[in-house]
Every structure is written in C-alpha cells, then in structure tokens.
C-alpha cells in the first residue's frame, strides 16, 4: 500500500495552532504529513516547495490564516499568488499541480485541519508516488 | 565548532508514551548526525525533568537542545529559561511537537506515530544545528501613553496610567470629554445618576498633573513602534482661543444662530458657539463654523467676538498639528448606535414619536431637553403607552447585524422602569427575543421591572411600526401565546444595535489594528489577552472592542492601563530577534523587500545602494526573504539553508 510522504508548511499563528487544537480535541488523521513551522506562509519561497518535491515529497500542503486574518497583514495574499504560479510551473514540469495544496485554516478550525489533511492524503494516494526521474548524481548535486 | 545537540524525549505520562515508542525514538536519534546526547523522561517539564536538561547541557557541553514534547506554545518559554539557567543561549533551545501534532492525533497506529515522531524531531534537529545564539533586540521605551477617546473607558485608562506615575496624552474628538456615558440619565442596575458618577472623573482626569488633555482633537498619523511612537494630533479649529477663555458663556448666550444639539441627540437646539453640555470638561466653547452666520454670510454677525470680554474669538484660526512621542497607545474610541435610517420597518427615523434609545436617555435626564419628563416629541404630551423594542438591528443576520449588542436588554428595562416612575399610570411594553441579564444584580433588576413596576414583557419581534391617527401603531407577535399583537402606542423606543464609532474605523486602519467583520477591534487573544491588540504597544478598552456596559468598560480600561504600566516598568523593550537581515555584499539594491514589507521595516540606503532592515520594527514575517531575488535577505534562525535541511529531514526515508 502506497503511503505518500507529505511536507506541511504551517504558519504559526493560524494553521499550526489549528493543528494543535485538533490534537487537544483528540481528532484523528493520517500520519503522512510532517510539519515545518514558519512564522507566516509569506516566508515560503517557491524554491522551498520545489525542494520538497525534489527531496521525495509526494505532496506539499501549505496552511495559513484566512484572507484578512494574516498576523502580518498580507503574507497570505502573497502565498495565494505564489501557489497559483507554482501550480502552473509544476504542470509545465510534468508534476500534477494537485500535489501542491493551499488551505486557509484558522486556529479555531481543528476539525477543518483533519478534513483537509485526510482529503489531501487520499488525493495524493490517488495520484500515486511522484516520479521525478532524478538520477542519483542529480540528487547528490542538489544537496551540496 | 562541531554541533552537539541534546535530544530530550518526553513521555508526558502516557500522553505521548502511550502512542509513541519513546525509548525507540531516543535510541534512534542518538545516532543522528550532530546529536551528542539523547534520552527520554516521564515529565520533561517537571523540576527533575528540567534539571535533567540543565545537567546534560553542562555534562555534554551541548550547543543545542531539542525537547520533544507538547506544542511550543506551552513550554518553549519554560525550556528556554531552563537552557539559560544552564548557560545556553535561549534561542538554541527548540521544541519538537510530538504530542498535539503526533501522539494525540495518531492514537490507533503506534508504528506510524513513532516514525512520524522521529521525522518531526529530525526536522528540529536540523534547525537547531544551524541555530545561532541571539540576543533579544532592545529598544528604548518612552514611558508616556496616548489614550484615544475620552469616554468612560478612555478616562479610566488615562487616570490609571497617570496614577501609576506616567504621563498621558488624552485625545478626544469632541469639544468635551465624557462620551456617551455623560449623556445617560441613570445607570442600571443601581439607578445612580450617570452624571453624578461621571463628572467627578472628568474633572479629575482634566486636572491631573500628569494628563495632557486635548479635546476637539483627532489623531492624524502614527508612526514608529512600541516604545517609540510618533503621533500627529490635529487640534481642530475651534475659533476660540481656549487657553485664554474662562468659559464665562457670554458668547453662547448672545449667539443668535442655532443648530441641533449633538449631546441632546437632536431633541433640542444649541447655540452655534457652544459647550456641549453644562458640565462639559473643559467648560469652554467651540464654534461650529458649518452653522455660523459669520462663516455662511461673509463676515456678517460677529456677535460672539463683540461680546467676548477677553477677545478670545478668532475667526481666522486654523487646524493645528501637534506632535507627541509616546510608548504605548490605548484605543478607547467607543460606539455609536446603528443608524435609525437603516430601520425602514420601524419608520427609519421619519416618525417623531419613534425615538432612539439615546434620545430617550436624554428625555429621562434631569438636565435633558424635557427636564427629565417623558414627553412625546410630536406634541409634548406625556405618553400613556410606550413600547420598547430590543434587538433593533441586533441578532438579525438576514436584514441587519448578527451579533447581540449585549446592553440593550438592560437599558430598555431601565428605560421602562424610569418611564413608569415618571408616569405612574402609563403602560410600558417591552418586546424581546430573550431578556439577557448576565451581570451582577441584573436579573434582579429585570424582575423588579416586571413585578414591581408592572412592565409588560412580550416575547416576540415587532414586524412593523407606522403612524395612524396620532398614534404609533406597533404590530408584533407574542410567540409564547402565538397571538398577533397590535398596540396603538403613544411612543416607541428603539434599542438600536451597538456599532463601532464611525471615526474608529479610519483610526484602526491607520494604526493597522485588526478589526472583526463588523469593525470592532480584535483583541490579541479572546480569553487570555483581552485588552491587548496583536500589534505590540496597542491596547484596547471599552466598546471599541465590542458592545459592553459601563462596569466592563471600566474594568477593561483598568486592565489596559495596567498592561501599559507593566510595559513602562522597564526602561527598554525587548523584542524577539527572529527577524530579517540582509547580506549587503550580495544585495543588488532592487528594493523588492522595501515594496513587500508591511511594516516599512526594510529601507533603502541611497548612499550605499543596499537595503537594510530596521531591527526595532521588523516583525519577522519573512515576506522580504521569500521575495528577495538575489537571496540576500534571510531570517535569523530560520534561514533558507535551515528550511531546506528541515524539509529534507521531514522526508528522510
């Protein structure tokens, strides 16, 4: 059974806190995602996402504050545009754009986090493992 | 130096250990690159647990610490303190969250939870390997506060801050302080007169040696940051030299022109050169140029200038900008009533005998236009039947506002009661959705109105109000009996919803304070930080934050003041150093960072042609770093290099 590997970039104010709430509420979801906490989704460089795919991620989930709720006023709007742009790039590169998913999850939405995480894991399962066809040489080169 | 990371895996009793194989986690991580020490313990946050960390730091000469436990929001500060006590830089102590985001959410799959815990910890190990020792950023503190709004909340906040030994600038947009509370007749549930408890406070704040009171003034601009705000305050032209004026009142007395009185909610007129009410503080007039004959008719009139014994009238006066430096700002801008014009179903303000709750307050007030007698505005008769309507605009998501305005149930009960004290033979009806009496002595007050003063409470909403044969026809329904109700009343009083003060919205935008959907200011945390704004240095008090009654406003104001006082207790303010920095050697001077920074913290040095980060202002959002095309911008202790390594660790097979 294919278990996708997923990197979750969560902003510390909303989605990370929403994930904490899912925990305190003991809601259950699949363990495929590992969280990288950032101050704001606006900190996420498109290269971080590409790097995740290159390093073997089958999916990348970005979680931030709802529009208008960004702790830093507008970081999430920047993310919204970057994710759109990245999805087009991924498509050009032959990667299904659905492997990158952006969702607004507030600190109060533990339940939503559970649904988003579960649905995304299912979706990536459906897409199957990401095959980038990188040679061993290329992988090592990137890590230097 | 080779990094030597210590990993401390917490069992949290069985909270973590019941799902995650903590022994295996600690053992596996002992072999991970950079890890010098790895162990587990039942409760890391307990005293023995913290001592374990402290001793290991010394014994193994650790350069970084990972505590794999609960969410960093709970114990990051705890372990950073423990690290500091053992001689480690606090910013090299990190938390890996394996409880809220691992053991608690993967309870059915121990194997998978254990593997995820390992990867989650590896992510933080990679971060800690590159964490630098950082010092909090210190900025000087100006121990002087600005309070915006001179209602009861602003007055209380100003007094408390001033009494704690700090200077305060209190800015009020109207000619007098006092706000809405000064308009009220009596206050629930004690029925003490509002003016009697309010005016001494108004005088106290105005005479306080540490309070600089600026009435008829507005905040035009705020720049800077916590501890170091620069504020521009516009003193509006009052056409009266208020520094010289003694408030003798001759000008108002002789002024031939009249305008509707704001203080009396349009129920009476005031002269064009006026003090808003007799107990106004300062008790000095302002001239309302919009209605003044001198201004409207090219210099004709000029009576006030002629009669003023001290030559205080200055028709040429202009707005004046005053600059003040403060360290903290309390926003207490208060509320307005939802416009009656929006209530088309109740006549939208076109029926004189359908009045707003504040108009009714003025009628009940001994100093009001009717001298405290309840009179119909249309014919000055004592009304025999008065209908009071709760939830006018509140709790009506389809047509108006969804939220509860909180105070209307109580003040309408007071209105009905006072009307009955005023007109013993009269009948008072209150249409209600629910009578909400959450407050000390409130339920008893409501019971008294219903039982002792025979106020008739009808559960249901009024669908329509219209005028017929000199009566105010009220159509409603009693939902308890299911009967349609028609009352041919003499007057109706609308308990209009509480909305944020009009001017407050512009101010909030200027100060970049978060507001909710309806324009009320958002607190930093709804339960635990109710008087702070998320923006450092800003505090909120009173109805600007949400509908609230007088005791709550006062309590919140005192709360905000105590926050300000504790901020001022230090001569310097310490900020988290997790901010942006720019490598000037590689910066191409493209200014992208300047354009994306929401705080104006990135500035361009025209001489050196590079961007620089103002450390005292940067909030550490990272927007400039993600946007920097040359990779010159970075975040302290969350560099791109760290992020790449963290991502790799998250995916390690």
């Amino acid at each position: 059974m294919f278990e996708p590997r997923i990197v979750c970039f969560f902003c510390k104010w909303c989605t990370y806190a929403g994930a904490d709430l899912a925990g305190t509420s003991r809601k259950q979801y699949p363990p495929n995602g590992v969280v990288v906490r950032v101050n704001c989704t606006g900190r996420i460089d498109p290269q971080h996402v590409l790097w995740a795919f290159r390093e073997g991620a089958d999916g990348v989930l970005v979680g931030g504050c709802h529009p208008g709720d960004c702790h830093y006023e507008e970081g999430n709007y920047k993310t919204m545009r970057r994710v759109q742009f990245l999805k087009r790039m991924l498509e050009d590169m032959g990667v299904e754009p659905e492997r990158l998913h952006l969702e607004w999850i507030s600190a109060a939405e533990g339940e939503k986090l559970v649904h988003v995480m579960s649905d995304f894991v299912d979706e990536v399962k459906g897409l199957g493992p990401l095959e980038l066809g990188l040679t061993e040489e290329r992988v090592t080169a990137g890590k230097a | 130096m080779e990094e030597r990371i210590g990993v401390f895996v917490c069992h949290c009793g069985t909270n973590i250990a019941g799902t995650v194989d903590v022994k295996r986690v600690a053992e596996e991580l002992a072999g991970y690159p950079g890890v010098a020490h790895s162990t587990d313990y039942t409760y890391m946050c307990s005293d023995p647990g913290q001592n374990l960390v402290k001793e290991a730091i010394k014994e193994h000469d650790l350069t970084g610490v990972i505590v794999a436990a609960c969410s960093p929001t709970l114990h990051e500060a705890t372990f950073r303190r423990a690290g500091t006590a053992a001689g480690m830089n606090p910013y090299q102590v990190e938390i890996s969250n394996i409880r809220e985001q691992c053991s608690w959410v993967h309870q059915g799959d121990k194997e998978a939870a254990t593997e995820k815990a390992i990867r989650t910890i590896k992510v933080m190990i990679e971060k800690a390997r590159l964490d630098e020792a950082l010092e909090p950023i210190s900025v000087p503190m100006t121990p002087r506060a600005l309070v915006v709004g001179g209602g009861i909340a602003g007055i209380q906040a100003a007094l408390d801050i001033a009494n704690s030994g700090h200077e305060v600038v209190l800015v009020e947009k109207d000619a007098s302080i006092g706000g809405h509370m000064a308009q009220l007749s009596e206050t629930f549930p004690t029925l003490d007169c509002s003016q009697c408890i309010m005016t001494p406070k108004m005088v106290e704040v105005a005479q306080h040696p540490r309070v600089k009171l600026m009435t008829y003034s507005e905040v035009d601009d705020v720049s800077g940051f916590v501890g170091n705000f620069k504020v521009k305050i516009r003193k509006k032209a009052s056409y009266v030299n208020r520094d010289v004026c003694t408030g003798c009142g001759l000008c108002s007395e002789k002024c031939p022109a009249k305008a509707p009185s704001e203080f009396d909610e349009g129920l009476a007129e005031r002269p064009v050169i006026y003090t808003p009410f007799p107990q106004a503080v300062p008790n000095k007039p302002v001239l309302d140029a919009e209605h003044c004959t001198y201004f409207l008719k090219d210099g004709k009139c000029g009576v006030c200038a002629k009669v003023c014994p001290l030559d205080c009238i200055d028709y040429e006066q202009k707005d004046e900008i005053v600059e003040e430096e403060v360290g903290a700002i309390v926003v207490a801008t208060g509320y307005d009533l939802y416009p009656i014009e929006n209530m088309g179903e109740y006549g939208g303000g076109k029926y004189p005998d359908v009045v707003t709750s504040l108009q009714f307050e003025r009628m009940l007030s001994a100093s009001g236009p009717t001298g405290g007698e309840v009179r119909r505005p249309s014919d000055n008769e004592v009304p025999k039947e008065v209908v009071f309507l709760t939830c006018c605009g509140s709790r009506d998501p389809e047509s108006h506002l969804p939220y509860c305005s909180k105070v209307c149930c109580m003040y309408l009960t007071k209105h009905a009661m006072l009307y009955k004290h005023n007109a013993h033979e009269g009948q008072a009806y209150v249409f209600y959705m629910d009578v909400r009496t959450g407050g000390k002595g409130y339920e008893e007050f409501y019971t008294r109105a219903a039982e002792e003063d025979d106020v008739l409470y009808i559960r249901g909403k009024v669908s329509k109000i219209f005028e017929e044969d000199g009566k105010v026809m009220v159509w409603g329904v009693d939902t308890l009996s299911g009967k349609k109700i028609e009352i041919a009343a003499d007057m109706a009083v609308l308990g209009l919803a509480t909305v944020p003060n009009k001017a407050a919205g512009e101010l909030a935008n200027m100060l970049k304070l978060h507001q909710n959907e309806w324009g009320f200011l958002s607190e930093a945390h709804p339960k635990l930080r109710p008087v702070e704004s998320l923006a450092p240095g800003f505090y909120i008090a009173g109805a600007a934050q949400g509908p609230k009654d007088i005791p709550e406003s006062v309590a919140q104001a005192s709360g905000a003041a105590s926050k300000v006082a504790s901020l001022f207790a230090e001569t310097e303010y310490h900020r988290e150093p997790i901010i942006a920095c720019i490598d000037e050697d590689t910066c191409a001077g493209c200014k992208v960072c300047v354009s994306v920074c929401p705080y104006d913290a990135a500035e361009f040095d025209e001489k050196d042609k590079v961007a620089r980060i103002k450390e005292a202002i940067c909030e550490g959002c990272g927007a400039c770093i993600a946007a920097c095309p040359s990779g010159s911008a970075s975040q302290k202790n969350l560099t791109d290099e760290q992020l790449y390594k963290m991502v790799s660790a998250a995916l390690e097979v």
Side-chain angles (χ1 to χ4, degrees):
Chain A
M1 175 78 180
F2 164 58
E3 285 298 341
R5 285 186 293 159
I6 290 168
V7 173
C8 307
F9 292 104
F10 287 171
C11 92
K12 78 173 203 181
W13 300 97
C14 291
T15 309
Y16 192 91
D20 277 353
L21 177 62
T24 41
S25 322
R26 307 296 197 279
K27 303 209 187 293
Q28 303 296 303
Y29 56 83
N32 304 61
V34 172
V35 175
V36 173
R37 187 169 80 136
V38 286
N39 278 16
C40 177
T41 55
R43 169 72 183 90
I44 303 163
D45 190 315
Q47 281 180 280
H48 300 148
V49 175
L50 296 178
W51 179 260
F53 284 123
R54 157 183 198 129
E55 286 289 271
D58 300 297
V60 172
L61 177 62
V62 178
C65 310
H66 284 268
D69 285 353
C70 177
H71 181 70
Y72 306 103
E73 301 187 30
E74 50 191 31
N76 51 357
Y77 292 110
K78 296 185 176 94
T79 306
M80 193 159 66
R81 292 192 285 268
R82 280 184 195 135
V83 166
Q84 278 307 109
F85 157 76
L86 262 168
K87 278 173 171 279
R88 285 165 56 194
M89 268 180 76
L90 289 174
E91 203 160 17
D92 289 350
M93 290 158 55
V95 175
E96 298 89 341
E98 296 79 22
R99 290 187 188 272
L100 171 62
H101 188 75
L102 168 67
E103 197 76 54
W104 311 131
I105 302 169
S106 81
E109 293 176 327
E111 184 79 48
K112 182 172 179 184
L113 181 119
V114 171
H115 290 308
V116 167
M117 193 73 101
S118 309
D119 292 351
F120 187 56
V121 169
D122 281 348
E123 176 153 29
V124 178
K125 272 186 184 169
L127 292 169
L130 174 62
E131 307 280 359
L132 284 178
L134 289 175
T135 59
E136 199 60 38
E137 223 176 2
R138 294 287 303 145
V139 173
T140 329
K143 286 192 175 180
Chain B
M1 188 177 80
E2 185 68 22
E3 62 270 14
R4 303 174 56 79
I5 309 291
V7 177
F8 302 85
V9 185
C10 180
H11 299 193
C12 194
T14 57
N15 280 303
I16 294 170
T19 305
V20 170
D21 183 345
V22 285
K23 295 268 177 223
R24 193 185 123 198
V25 171
E27 278 163 24
E28 275 201 28
L29 291 172
Y32 192 77
V35 175
H37 177 69
S38 179
T39 189
D40 61 283
Y41 186 69
T42 38
Y43 289 105
M44 279 298 171
C45 61
S46 66
D47 252 7
Q50 291 188 47
N51 286 334
L52 196 81
V53 177
K54 289 182 203 167
E55 280 158 23
I57 290 172
K58 292 176 192 156
E59 192 188 330
H60 299 278
D61 193 20
L62 299 178
T63 59
V65 161
I66 306 293
V67 181
C70 51
S71 171
T73 51
L74 285 124
H75 281 309
E76 188 181 72
T78 312
F79 289 108
R80 286 191 166 172
R81 273 198 301 274
T84 309
M88 176 170 273
N89 183 281
Y91 297 98
Q92 292 174 313
V93 177
E94 300 278 9
I95 303 289
S96 178
N97 183 346
I98 59 165
R99 191 180 75 171
E100 280 83 349
Q101 299 188 12
C102 189
S103 70
W104 276 352
V105 288
H106 309 308
Q107 284 171 333
D109 194 341
K110 288 192 176 185
E111 178 62 26
T114 303
E115 301 233 324
K116 177 171 163 179
I118 291 170
R119 279 188 285 149
T120 303
I121 299 168
K122 283 179 182 172
V123 167
M124 293 314 284
I125 295 174
E126 288 301 340
K127 179 175 189 304
R129 290 177 74 179
L130 291 169
D131 272 346
E132 289 175 36
L134 300 176
E135 291 303 322
I137 299 159
S138 296
V139 288
M141 171 63 61
T142 309
R144 194 161 185 266
L146 169 73
V147 177
V148 189
I152 183 60
I155 290 174
Q156 187 66 46
L159 277 173
D160 287 354
I161 296 168
N163 285 336
S164 71
H166 306 291
E167 283 182 28
V168 181
V169 182
L170 174 59
V171 175
E172 164 58 47
K173 69 177 181 346
D174 289 335
S176 169
I177 52 171
H180 284 306
M181 188 179 162
Q183 289 179 289
L184 306 183
S185 53
E186 289 164 29
T187 53
F188 62 79
T190 47
L191 293 188
D192 41 358
C193 129
S194 187
Q195 293 261 345
C196 311
I197 53 178
M198 183 66 172
T199 43
K201 271 198 184 292
M202 289 160 61
V203 173
E204 189 186 346
V205 79
Q207 294 181 349
H208 200 293
R210 280 189 287 271
V211 175
K212 176 175 177 181
L213 176 61
M214 295 180 70
T215 53
Y216 216 53
S217 300
E218 286 175 21
V219 175
D220 249 19
D221 186 52
V222 173
S223 59
F225 47 90
V226 54
N228 299 272
F229 293 110
K230 286 195 170 53
V231 188
K232 284 188 181 146
I233 301 162
R234 189 160 48 87
K235 277 175 84 174
K236 297 185 279 190
S238 64
Y239 308 103
V240 177
N241 184 346
R242 295 176 98 204
D243 295 333
V244 178
C245 170
T246 59
C248 73
L250 254 180
C251 54
S252 301
E253 204 179 292
K254 301 290 182 196
C255 175
K258 294 274 182 283
S261 160
E262 294 85 357
F263 187 76
D264 281 331
E265 294 289 325
L267 290 175
E269 290 191 315
R270 55 152 173 86
V272 161
I273 186 161
Y274 70 105
T275 46
F277 52 103
Q279 305 89 333
V281 172
N283 206 328
K284 294 177 183 181
V286 294
L287 189 151
D288 162 15
E290 212 181 301
H291 294 97
C292 175
T293 316
Y294 182 91
F295 286 92
L296 294 174
K297 292 191 176 162
D298 265 348
K300 294 205 176 81
C301 190
V303 167
C304 48
K306 282 173 208 142
V307 299
C308 178
L310 292 169
D311 284 333
C312 293
I313 310 297
D314 174 8
Y315 297 116
E316 304 300 317
Q317 202 180 74
K318 297 272 179 290
D319 288 6
E320 183 192 341
I321 303 291
V322 177
E323 292 196 21
E324 296 286 350
E325 289 186 4
V326 297
I329 298 177
V330 179
V331 184
T333 43
Y335 72 97
D336 273 333
L337 290 184
Y338 188 59
I340 192 170
E341 292 74 23
N342 293 1
M343 303 301 298
E345 59 270 46
Y346 303 154
K350 68 175 185 244
Y351 306 133
D353 297 332
V354 179
V355 300
T356 71
S357 40
L358 274 176
Q359 285 176 324
F360 201 69
E361 289 286 348
R362 293 311 302 146
M363 271 187 210
L364 292 169
S365 170
S367 65
T370 57
E373 300 267 326
V374 177
R375 301 276 179 173
R376 273 160 59 104
S378 62
D379 57 10
N380 213 30
E381 290 295 316
V382 176
K384 294 186 184 68
E385 288 185 279
V386 181
V387 179
F388 298 88
L389 286 75
T390 64
C391 301
C392 296
S394 308
R395 301 181 70 195
D396 189 350
E398 281 81 29
S399 313
H400 300 288
L401 302 165
Y403 58 86
C404 168
S405 290
K406 197 170 184 179
V407 289
C408 327
C409 285
M410 288 309 295
Y411 73 61
L412 288 169
T413 294
K414 174 193 76 179
H415 283 174
M417 196 187 255
L418 292 176
Y419 161 66
K420 286 287 290 182
H421 295 176
N422 214 283
H424 301 294
E425 304 305 314
Q427 180 60 55
Y429 305 90
V430 179
F431 276 91
Y432 69 95
M433 285 164 71
D434 302 283
V435 181
R436 296 187 165 172
T437 58
K440 203 173 173 185
Y442 290 9
E443 176 67 15
E444 294 86 333
F445 185 73
Y446 154 62
T447 311
R448 213 169 95 203
E451 291 176 359
E452 290 175 27
D453 291 310
D454 297 322
V455 175
L456 193 60
Y457 281 82
I458 304 166
R459 190 177 205 275
K461 212 165 160 59
V462 170
S463 58
K464 193 177 177 180
I465 294 178
F466 58 99
E467 265 185 355
E468 197 174 86
D469 303 329
K471 289 279 186 186
V472 173
M473 302 299 294
V474 180
W475 282 6
V477 72
D478 179 352
T479 53
L480 295 180
S481 67
K483 281 189 186 134
K484 212 181 143 196
I485 306 238
E486 282 185 38
I487 300 169
D490 300 299
M491 236 177 113
V493 179
L494 307 185
L496 292 164
T498 301
V499 297
N501 186 289
K502 278 192 290 294
E506 285 168 32
L507 183 73
N509 287 337
M510 185 176 72
L511 302 178
K512 294 183 178 174
L513 298 181
H514 286 272
Q515 297 161 268
N516 77 357
E517 215 176 333
W518 315 107
F520 289 112
L521 297 175
S522 300
E523 58 283 358
H525 188 284
K527 295 182 183 68
L528 303 177
R529 295 174 68 193
V531 299
E532 292 159 84
S533 161
L534 263 180
F538 290 97
Y539 302 87
I540 53 184
Q545 183 260 355
K548 53 178 63 67
D549 59 19
I550 296 165
E552 277 182 317
S553 296
V554 171
Q556 210 190 15
S558 290
S562 86
K563 285 283 170 191
V564 171
S566 50
L567 180 75
F568 290 170
E570 301 285 340
T571 52
E572 287 183 325
Y573 178 71
H574 301 286
R575 311 180 73 232
E576 281 285 292
I578 312 299
I579 57 166
C581 48
I582 288 173
D583 182 344
E584 293 182 17
D585 291 340
T586 56
C587 172
C590 73
K591 303 184 197 172
V592 163
C593 50
V594 178
S595 70
V596 298
C597 179
Y599 304 100
D600 297 330
E603 67 180 342
F604 187 68
D605 185 324
E606 290 291 348
K607 190 170 134 279
D608 295 343
K609 302 288 178 214
V610 291
R612 292 206 175 91
I613 301 295
K614 290 186 249 180
E615 290 200 337
I617 303 177
C618 175
E619 288 282 331
C621 71
C624 58
I625 305 156
C628 177
S630 64
S632 304
S634 186
Q635 184 156 27
K636 290 188 179 158
N637 282 1
L638 195 64
T639 62
D640 280 342
E641 190 185 357
Q642 280 175 306
L643 275 166
Y644 286 129
K645 292 206 160 139
M646 289 161 79
V647 167
S648 301
L651 293 162
E652 219 168 74
V653 189

